Amino acid sequence: SQVGPRTPPLVEENEVLLRESAGLPDDAGEQFKSEMNREVGKRLGQATGTEVDFERPDVLVLCNVERGDVDVQVNPAFVYGRYRKLVRDIPQTEWPCSDCGGTGKQLGDDGEEPCEGCDGTGYRYETSVEQEIAPHAVDAMDGEEGVFHGAGREDVDALMLGTGRPFVLEVKRPRSRTPDVAELQERINDASDAVEVEGLRLATHEMVERVKELDGDKTYRATVAFDADVTRDELDAAVEELVGATVEQRTPHRVSHRRADKVRTRRVHGVEADYEDARHATLTIDGEGGLYIKELVSGDEGRTDPSLAGLLGVDCEVSALDVVTVEGSAEPFEDEAFFR
C-alpha cells in the first residue's frame, strides 16, 4: 500500500513563510507533507500488516487534511493462466449484439420488444471464454468487474487445444487479492463444459502487456477440402513450397470490417500433410503469430500469396481448424518476474 497526503495550500504557504522569517534555507527541516506521509503510512502499516510500495501499490490512501477525509484507490489484481476452448462457435470475449447495442431490446410497433438478432440476450453468442472464466475470478477476489486479456485469439469456429492460450484476467477493485488459485482453477473447470484452464497464478500488471505484446508462434491443425482431385505427390510438392515461405497477406475479407486494410508479412515455419484421399487432407502448420491459416489454405481470392490453393491450382477450404500450441517465439510467456 501507499499513503499520500493532500496538504492544504495554506499550510504549504506558511511553511515557506516560516523558513523565510527564520532565515532558513528552503530545504531546512522536514516538510509537513513528508512527515504526515511517513507517520500515517507507518501507523497504517502497523494496523494492517502491510508494507509500502512506491512503484505500484495495491491500495493508495489519499488523506485530505483540509476536508478531514480519506480517499481509497484500490488498484486491479491479476490472474494469469492458459485456457483451452473445447467447443466451437464461441468467441474469446463477450460479443454484444450489434443490432441492439447489447441491450437485448428493440423498438417494435407496440414499443420495446426483445431483439430478434439475439433473442433478447444482448449477446451475439450465448457465452464466451471470458464469460466462462471471469465471474469465478471476480467472485473469488470479491471484485467488481473482470477484464479479459488474451495472447491473441482464435476464430470463433476454431478450437483451442493442446497447451492452451495464455491469458490474464484483470479484476477491478478486489477486496481480496490472494485467492487460492488451485481452488479457483478447480471451480472454473468444474463449472464449464466449454472451457478449461490450467496453470493459474497471481500475476503483476506487467503480465497484461506481456501476453498482448510478446511475439508468439502458433501450431494449427487444419482439415482441408479440395474442390478437385489432388494427388499425394501434388500435395507434398505444394507443402514443400510453403515450408519456410514468407507470406504476404492482405487483410482477409472476413475480418476487413474490424481490421485495418493492409498487407502483413508472416513466416511459415513448417507444414506436415496427412493425405486422406483425393479431396481431403489434414495439415499441421507451424507459423508466426498473426498468420491467417484459413487464407494460407484458400488464398482468399489472391489476397494471400503464396497459398496452398495457388500452388495446387485447385480451390481449397478449411472445414475445421484447431489451435494446438501458442508459445513465445524467443522466450516463454511464463516468467517468474511477472508473478507474485
Side-chain angles (χ1 to χ4, degrees):
S1 63
Q2 183 179 350
V3 175
R6 287 176 174 160
T7 308
L10 184 59
V11 171
E12 294 181 338
E13 183 180 341
N14 286 339
E15 283 187 307
V16 173
L17 293 174
L18 176 61
R19 288 181 174 84
E20 289 178 351
S21 63
L24 297 172
D26 293 343
D27 59 353
E30 185 173 25
Q31 293 183 343
F32 172 82
K33 180 177 181 178
S34 299
E35 184 172 357
M36 179 183 176
N37 186 35
R38 185 185 67 251
E39 288 301 319
V40 174
K42 182 170 61 178
R43 297 184 188 187
L44 181 63
Q46 291 173 346
T48 61
T50 57
E51 298 180 358
V52 65
D53 182 346
F54 293 108
E55 294 187 1
R56 187 179 175 85
D58 293 340
V59 180
L60 178 60
V61 180
L62 299 175
C63 304
N64 193 310
V65 178
E66 190 171 22
R67 292 203 312 256
D69 59 19
V70 175
D71 293 328
V72 178
Q73 174 184 311
V74 180
N75 285 326
F78 304 88
V79 178
Y80 170 84
R82 286 174 175 262
Y83 75 81
R84 284 183 285 273
K85 193 178 81 176
L86 308 177
V87 299
R88 303 189 191 277
D89 298 321
I90 66 170
Q92 182 188 83
T93 54
E94 292 183 356
W95 196 318
C97 175
S98 55
D99 292 345
C100 64
T103 64
K105 299 176 182 178
Q106 62 183 16
L107 288 177
D109 296 337
D110 299 322
E112 283 190 347
E113 57 186 33
C115 172
E116 294 180 359
C118 62
D119 293 328
T121 65
Y123 294 101
R124 183 62 67 185
Y125 293 89
E126 182 177 344
T127 189
S128 65
V129 174
E130 177 182 24
Q131 289 164 281
E132 296 292 303
I133 296 174
H136 300 286
V138 172
D139 181 64
M141 291 187 168
D142 197 10
E144 295 183 357
E145 180 186 2
V147 180
F148 193 92
H149 307 279
R153 62 176 67 217
E154 65 282 342
D155 291 337
V156 171
D157 61 352
L159 300 181
M160 178 66 242
L161 304 174
T163 56
R165 185 181 297 275
F167 73 92
V168 174
L169 200 286
E170 176 182 354
V171 178
K172 301 292 186 72
R173 295 189 64 83
R175 294 171 180 80
S176 172
R177 309 185 74 90
T178 56
D180 185 326
V181 288
E183 181 179 312
L184 173 59
Q185 179 170 307
E186 184 177 359
R187 186 192 310 179
I188 294 170
N189 291 339
D190 286 346
S192 178
D193 294 325
V195 173
E196 62 182 18
V197 298
E198 67 175 27
L200 292 194
R201 299 183 64 176
L202 299 179
T204 64
H205 74 284
E206 291 91 351
M207 198 66 190
V208 173
E209 181 178 359
R210 187 169 180 84
V211 300
K212 296 177 79 68
E213 301 296 335
L214 186 67
D215 289 336
D217 292 332
K218 300 176 177 67
T219 302
Y220 304 82
R221 183 170 57 242
T223 303
V224 179
F226 307 122
D227 195 45
D229 288 354
V230 172
T231 68
R232 185 186 300 272
D233 288 343
E234 289 171 335
L235 178 61
D236 290 343
V239 164
E240 188 174 349
E241 288 289 325
L242 285 179
V243 174
T246 298
V247 181
E248 292 188 351
Q249 294 189 305
R250 185 178 172 186
T251 302
H253 286 297
R254 63 187 173 90
V255 298
S256 59
H257 64 287
R258 54 185 172 88
R259 297 279 176 87
D261 186 9
K262 63 180 183 179
V263 176
R264 299 170 176 82
T265 301
R266 295 292 187 269
R267 185 173 175 81
V268 179
H269 299 313
V271 183
E272 293 182 2
D274 181 8
Y275 184 84
E276 298 175 19
D277 57 47
R279 294 297 183 100
H280 302 91
T282 299
L283 303 184
T284 301
I285 303 170
D286 294 319
E288 185 180 354
L291 177 66
Y292 290 106
I293 299 301
K294 291 177 179 177
E295 287 67 29
L296 179 67
V297 171
S298 71
D300 196 26
E301 299 179 358
R303 295 166 77 95
T304 290
D305 183 48
S307 69
L308 183 65
L311 292 169
L312 287 173
V314 171
D315 287 344
C316 306
E317 181 181 2
V318 174
S319 56
L321 182 66
D322 303 333
V323 188
V324 181
T325 63
V326 179
E327 301 295 345
S329 301
E331 57 184 296
F333 284 94
E334 293 81 2
D335 186 321
E336 290 299 324
F338 297 90
F339 296 124
R340 304 192 65 168

